[in-house]
Amino acid sequence: MKLNIVIFGTLLFILTSCQDFLEKYPLDAPTSATFCKTENELSYALTGAYNSLNYNPGTYAQGELYWDAATDLVFSRGGYAISDAINLGIATPTEGVFSGAWSQFYMTIQRCNFILDNIVTARKTLDATFCDRIEGQARFLRAWNYNYLTQLYGDVPLVVTSMLTLDQSNVARSVKADVVKQIMVDLDFAISKLPTAWTGNDIGRITMGAALALKARVALYNGQYDVAATSAKTVMDLKVYQLSSDYGALFQQAGKNSKESIFQMNFNIITNKNMSAVVMGTRYGQGWSIICPTQYLVDSYLCTDGKNISESPLFDPANPYENRDPRLKASILVPGSWFGGVKYETNPDSLTTMKNVNGIDSPNGNLVKITNQEVTNAYASFTGYLFRKNYDETAFNSPSNGSDMPLMLIRYAEILLTYAEAKIELNQIDQSVYDAINLIRRRVQMPDVPSGITQDQFRQVLRWERKIVFAGEGLRLFDIRRWKIAENVLEGPLPGRKNKAYWFNQGIPTFNQYGHPIYVNQTTIFKTITPRHFDVTKCYLWAIPQKEIDINKNMTQNQGY
């Protein structure tokens, strides 16, 4: 996808509410009273709405790369975006990410509402199909942001116009179901007006398939399983998207134009760079090693026989990364991995490591010994792991230069698993459900789902698969919330690097009924990064930001805050 999202300075003025008491229009810039009368002006306004997808709550990386840090799968060092207070269950309404996310999503909604308010006038003089497509994209973006708001905060103010008076600005929260209903109305409009594909300079814009895919996600998240299954099946029947044959390359520059991508955040190396390598990168590669996969995630990858590491005879605690689901090494830098021509090693005795001066990820060639910053640097990964997924290897030595590698926000694998989960919850398990999950497993040569399993067994298979397939992509937080299992996977001390005495003998965990690894002597085997606690009385929702309570007499707070 090639659409370059660019911030236009004029939008900062256009989208700001103001009043000219002399009722005169400036001669050198557009105003909200005259703007959006031409195709170019509508396109500029829409570009501003697209650009607001680029939300960096913790500096450099997209919000989607941080959400998993509020789950069992990821640790974010230094409290970037997801603070320790959130993971301790003691966050207050003044938490920065609570207000930052709220403001970001409503800013985008405001931009969309501005377009939708003005499209009525534009339709009087502009081509109807052009206007329909502008409106369809704006409605999709509004739906995208309202979905995040409802998932994070529950009931939220539903605002569908930018033309609010001062008296109307104290908007009360609408019940979540009503907001979801509006989301579906917006998406149905987008589905009916957007093309299945764009051409020329428009390639990369939101398509009908993207709107259907988001509808499937929203329906699944809200228990509308019939709608989720139908929407996902419609995407499948479009025959536009397909799984990439190479799971690992999918999250590198090589996967940039993959047919698996349905909706993605695009970047441009000149105007809007992807800077995620800064916070995801290795210390030797000049990254900050902030976003780190946890031991819980690493332990969750099955062995190649399809069994978990507590059941499979293939698992060897002395060589814990061998005979595992190929997605483990494709997604995560584990000790012994090569990346950027350097061997990634976190054994505390490995004060040096090897570098291939030819830049090749291989133990063969022109090797030199270098200081191992993954051990000697105090701010190397606290878990001992880093993501390979979405860590662009071409940005290895210069992450601060950024890249133009896109970030996939919805991909075809999600459609297959949404379809399967919806059908499982409807208890309509047929061959199509097996086929959907098996397609994903076969891509990496993992065994098919066993035939003849019960609905509950299939549910557990599906949930395990989602954990692995979407690790580090920002979906886990919303999964464990809607499945109501957060307290069963987020409680207790978070394990960090293995202690030296247990480096080659970490033992084998058991797994609870929620697929969560449990070590009897965890605090002996692993260093403890931080305690974690999930308060079921409040933590299933984030707090409404305190500043919203302070300025809006009609705003209420979520329970427990």
Side-chain angles (χ1 to χ4, degrees):
M1 296 186 176
K2 302 177 182 177
L3 178 67
N4 296 323
I5 308 302
V6 183
I7 299 177
F8 286 85
T10 55
L11 287 174
L12 298 177
F13 176 80
I14 295 160
L15 300 179
T16 302
S17 177
C18 62
Q19 182 175 0
D20 184 344
F21 291 96
L22 297 178
E23 297 184 351
K24 292 182 178 180
Y25 304 136
L27 301 179
D28 60 346
T31 73
S32 58
T34 63
F35 197 66
C36 287
K37 287 189 175 181
T38 70
E39 289 189 0
N40 281 342
E41 289 176 345
L42 276 174
S43 296
Y44 294 161
L46 183 63
T47 297
Y50 266 101
N51 190 77
S52 56
L53 289 170
N54 190 10
Y55 169 45
N56 308 130
T59 306
Y60 292 115
Q62 285 289 112
E64 284 75 13
L65 298 178
Y66 280 110
W67 299 139
D68 276 2
T71 77
D72 50 330
L73 304 189
V74 174
F75 169 70
S76 177
R77 179 177 61 79
Y80 276 72
I82 306 300
S83 70
D84 291 340
I86 292 175
N87 286 321
L88 283 169
I90 58 173
T92 69
T94 60
E95 190 70 38
V97 72
F98 293 168
S99 59
W102 178 283
S103 298
Q104 176 71 21
F105 298 139
Y106 272 113
M107 176 191 72
T108 308
I109 288 168
Q110 166 67 6
R111 292 183 176 187
C112 294
N113 285 344
F114 175 83
I115 295 168
L116 297 174
D117 285 342
N118 285 276
I119 198 79
V120 177
T121 301
R123 285 183 178 279
K124 296 176 182 178
T125 56
L126 300 182
D127 176 73
T129 298
F130 174 83
C131 290
D132 284 344
R133 291 182 172 186
I134 291 288
E135 183 171 351
Q137 292 169 83
R139 283 177 175 261
F140 174 98
L141 292 170
R142 183 167 70 178
W144 177 267
N145 285 273
Y146 268 127
N147 179 55
Y148 267 133
L149 283 165
T150 56
Q151 290 303 310
L152 291 170
Y153 304 97
D155 300 344
V156 295
L158 178 59
V159 183
V160 293
T161 178
S162 63
M163 306 302 181
L164 295 177
T165 66
L166 185 60
D167 291 339
Q168 294 171 327
S169 63
N170 288 329
V171 182
R173 298 166 70 187
S174 297
V175 296
K176 181 180 177 181
D178 288 343
V179 183
V180 171
K181 187 180 297 183
Q182 180 61 49
I183 291 172
M184 293 305 198
V185 169
D186 283 345
L187 291 175
D188 283 340
F189 182 93
I191 291 165
S192 69
K193 301 299 183 182
L194 295 178
T196 56
W198 295 87
T199 59
N201 292 332
D202 288 324
I203 292 176
R205 291 187 180 276
I206 297 159
T207 61
M208 177 180 70
L212 279 164
L214 180 56
K215 183 176 181 179
R217 177 188 287 185
V218 173
L220 185 72
Y221 282 6
N222 289 280
Q224 300 176 18
Y225 299 120
D226 53 343
V227 177
T230 299
S231 299
K233 185 62 166 61
T234 304
V235 176
M236 294 158 65
D237 290 343
L238 290 176
K239 306 297 183 184
V240 172
Y241 311 103
Q242 63 187 45
L243 294 179
S244 170
S245 60
D246 189 334
Y247 180 82
L250 186 60
F251 305 98
Q252 299 286 301
Q253 282 284 17
K256 188 173 180 179
N257 297 310
S258 172
K259 289 187 177 180
E260 185 162 342
S261 180
I262 296 176
F263 178 53
Q264 66 186 33
M265 177 64 198
N266 293 297
F267 296 91
N268 181 284
I269 197 65
I270 303 299
T271 59
N272 184 31
K273 296 183 288 188
N274 183 340
M275 300 294 293
S276 60
V278 173
V279 293
M280 299 182 73
T282 65
R283 299 306 307 197
Y284 184 83
Q286 301 181 49
W288 295 354
S289 299
I290 286 174
I291 299 177
C292 308
T294 64
Q295 187 68 44
Y296 294 142
L297 172 56
V298 172
D299 286 344
S300 295
Y301 287 87
L302 303 175
C303 289
T304 52
D305 58 4
K307 298 179 180 179
N308 68 47
I309 62 175
S310 71
E311 299 173 341
S312 174
L314 299 178
F315 181 67
D316 178 5
N319 297 285
Y321 316 117
E322 302 304 314
N323 302 318
R324 303 288 292 278
D325 182 332
R327 289 172 294 193
L328 170 57
K329 291 184 179 180
S331 302
I332 297 175
L333 286 178
V334 299
S337 299
W338 285 80
F339 194 79
V342 177
K343 186 179 181 182
Y344 181 77
E345 184 56 73
T346 57
N347 185 315
D349 286 335
S350 299
L351 301 182
T352 61
T353 190
M354 303 306 296
K355 176 182 179 181
N356 192 321
V357 296
N358 298 321
I360 300 171
D361 292 334
S362 170
N364 302 314
N366 190 1
L367 302 181
V368 296
K369 188 179 293 186
I370 60 174
T371 299
N372 186 8
Q373 295 188 46
E374 312 311 326
V375 171
T376 61
N377 191 299
Y379 299 104
S381 167
F382 279 22
T383 67
Y385 307 105
L386 289 170
F387 276 108
R388 183 187 294 268
K389 176 186 279 188
N390 288 319
Y391 175 17
D392 177 17
E393 192 162 7
T394 63
F396 177 72
N397 288 310
S398 54
S400 60
N401 290 341
S403 76
D404 63 351
M405 189 179 75
L407 177 69
M408 280 182 287
L409 301 175
I410 307 178
R411 56 190 179 90
Y412 189 57
E414 182 183 347
I415 291 301
L416 295 174
L417 291 183
T418 293
Y419 174 78
E421 182 175 357
K423 296 282 281 186
I424 291 167
E425 294 303 325
L426 292 168
N427 203 18
Q428 297 175 359
I429 301 171
D430 55 21
Q431 188 58 43
S432 69
V433 179
Y434 282 90
D435 290 344
I437 300 180
N438 288 339
L439 270 174
I440 293 173
R441 289 189 163 197
R442 289 172 186 172
R443 164 166 59 181
V444 291
Q445 291 78 53
M446 286 295 288
D448 287 354
V449 177
S451 60
I453 59 178
T454 66
Q455 180 190 27
D456 187 61
Q457 289 172 326
F458 221 140
R459 182 181 290 123
Q460 299 311 311
V461 167
L462 180 284
R463 293 181 178 185
W464 199 300
E465 196 70 18
R466 278 189 69 95
K467 185 200 312 194
I468 296 305
V469 171
F470 304 125
E473 296 181 52
L475 301 185
R476 178 68 171 172
L477 175 61
F478 309 110
D479 283 349
I480 63 175
R481 283 183 170 195
R482 64 191 177 86
W483 294 335
K484 299 299 181 185
I485 66 168
E487 65 268 30
N488 304 111
V489 301
L490 293 180
E491 192 68 37
L494 182 69
R497 295 187 180 212
K498 285 176 283 189
N499 287 310
K500 183 176 179 179
Y502 294 90
W503 189 262
F504 297 108
N505 186 27
Q506 69 182 55
I508 303 175
T510 58
F511 290 83
N512 66 19
Q513 61 181 310
Y514 308 100
H516 186 63
I518 298 174
Y519 288 86
V520 174
N521 55 342
Q522 176 181 301
T523 56
T524 301
I525 300 171
F526 302 96
K527 299 180 186 298
T528 294
I529 299 175
T530 180
R532 281 188 168 183
H533 173 60
F534 188 88
D535 186 343
V536 295
T537 66
K538 67 176 185 178
C539 289
Y540 271 105
L541 292 174
W542 279 0
I544 303 299
Q546 185 60 47
K547 66 179 183 180
E548 301 298 328
I549 302 290
D550 293 341
I551 65 175
N552 184 349
K553 63 182 180 181
N554 294 322
M555 189 69 69
T556 57
Q557 185 57 270
N558 279 326
Q559 178 181 340
Y561 291 102

